[in-house]
Amino acid sequence: MEPAELRRAVEAGRTAASEQGLRADEVVVVHNSDRVVLRLLPCDVLARVAPPGHLSDSAFEVEVAHRLTDAGAPVGRLDPRTDPRVQVRDTFAVSLWTYYPPVGPEIAPADYADALMRHHAALRRIDVDAPHFSDRVAVALTGVDDRERSPELSDSDRGFLRDALSGLSAEIGADPARDQLLHGEPHPGNLLNTRQGPLFVDLATCCRGPVEFDLAHGPEEAAEHYAGADQALTHRCRALNWALFTAWRWRRDDQMPDREHWRAEGLDRVRAALDRI
């Protein structure tokens, strides 16, 4: 967020906590992108603050978190001292979560796979209306095909990305019987190492598809520890993830740091992943 918007988001998070009876004298910005994550002290709450237009996404995330907590999933929990709902303050959508201080070394691939298997088992025990992973691909394809949205993408790279996205999506979705509810983006940045063990966060990306779609977001070594995973399908999902990542980078309004590097690097990663397949 821009500085002025960030200041408003910080105040919205502070106000939401205070109105729930929690002291928020100090605010630490943990993450700043299209949404902001704040650590509020001394109440030690994590506030997720989303800009206008993201209320439904925030409400969906809270609903998924509430159901997964009841199902025993290894996920970050909403703060138990507050109402499990999204509050709207100054047009921002605010949700309040438990803060988990980081502990220990990096999560080992075997532990990542174990946490993801337990997470998938819990996801099979709940029922929410979530999009299919192919819907995400369709949005990316729209951006690739629209020259106004991706004006700097060359014709050859545009055709390459279009074929990669559509072809891989069709192959991965060929067996609907494999589909289940997924985290959607369980990359290492969304798996916290806590005193309670590894916990997944950022649940708004929940979607449907084969477990390999989730598995492809993690360390490559983790796939070897996930019982029953189709390794060939995981490789295809990893290639699709790179194609999606690269498609976002070529959007005219993309604001990822070092975007020019990742545009070229992304295309190279897609080609390397397809060669591996």
Side-chain angles (χ1 to χ4, degrees):
M1 293 185 184
E2 297 297 329
E5 187 180 25
L6 177 60
R7 286 193 292 272
R8 290 176 51 223
V10 166
E11 189 56 35
R14 191 202 307 268
T15 300
S18 298
E19 291 179 353
Q20 293 284 310
L22 302 175
R23 281 187 59 194
D25 302 331
E26 181 183 352
V27 180
V28 178
V29 178
V30 177
H31 182 71
N32 178 16
S33 60
D34 56 337
R35 306 183 192 195
V36 173
V37 181
L38 311 169
R39 184 184 180 188
L40 308 179
L41 296 166
C43 62
D44 219 9
V45 163
L46 202 72
R48 293 174 63 85
V49 185
H54 289 266
L55 175 60
S56 60
D57 292 343
S58 297
F60 176 71
E61 180 177 35
V62 166
E63 177 190 4
V64 171
H66 185 68
R67 295 192 185 193
L68 282 174
T69 297
D70 290 344
V75 296
R77 300 188 172 204
L78 295 158
D79 187 274
R81 297 167 291 178
T82 63
D83 294 334
R85 60 182 177 84
V86 175
Q87 304 174 60
V88 178
R89 298 291 179 271
D90 188 20
T91 73
F92 290 93
V94 183
S95 52
L96 302 175
W97 302 77
T98 299
Y99 175 76
Y100 299 95
V103 299
E106 196 172 290
I107 297 171
D111 294 331
Y112 174 95
D114 175 72
L116 189 58
M117 284 190 288
R118 291 187 287 114
H119 188 33
H120 284 158
L123 283 161
R124 288 192 289 271
R125 293 194 290 270
I126 71 170
D127 183 26
V128 295
D129 185 14
H132 195 260
F133 83 89
S134 58
D135 295 340
R136 191 178 301 178
V137 177
V139 173
L141 277 169
T142 299
V144 169
D145 287 334
D146 188 337
R147 295 178 185 275
E148 291 188 3
R149 296 187 187 183
S150 52
E152 297 171 286
L153 188 59
S154 70
D155 288 345
S156 60
D157 288 338
R158 191 183 304 277
F160 169 71
L161 269 181
R162 181 191 303 115
D163 291 346
L165 286 165
S166 58
L168 287 165
S169 180
E171 292 173 3
I172 294 166
D175 185 6
R178 300 183 68 92
D179 289 354
Q180 72 151 76
L181 203 58
L182 304 173
H183 178 285
E185 290 185 5
H187 54 72
N190 282 336
L191 183 60
L192 307 180
N193 202 5
T194 76
R195 295 189 187 95
Q196 290 78 23
L199 298 177
F200 287 100
V201 296
D202 199 0
L203 306 173
T205 54
C206 188
C207 64
R208 295 188 179 277
V211 296
E212 289 82 1
F213 182 80
D214 267 359
L215 193 56
H217 285 81
E220 290 203 27
E221 298 87 347
E224 302 169 8
H225 299 279
Y226 193 108
D230 183 326
Q231 300 302 325
L233 185 57
T234 302
H235 290 322
R236 284 180 167 78
C237 290
R238 202 174 298 278
L240 178 63
N241 286 341
W242 274 113
L244 287 166
F245 171 87
T246 306
W248 305 142
R249 302 293 73 79
W250 284 97
R251 290 179 302 180
R252 182 177 54 192
D253 58 353
D254 182 62
Q255 296 181 358
M256 182 176 179
D258 206 10
R259 180 179 67 169
E260 294 303 321
H261 164 77
W262 285 112
R263 282 177 167 183
E265 178 70 14
L267 288 167
D268 288 343
R269 294 288 186 104
V270 178
R271 292 187 176 97
L274 289 174
D275 287 343
R276 183 176 183 182
I277 293 170

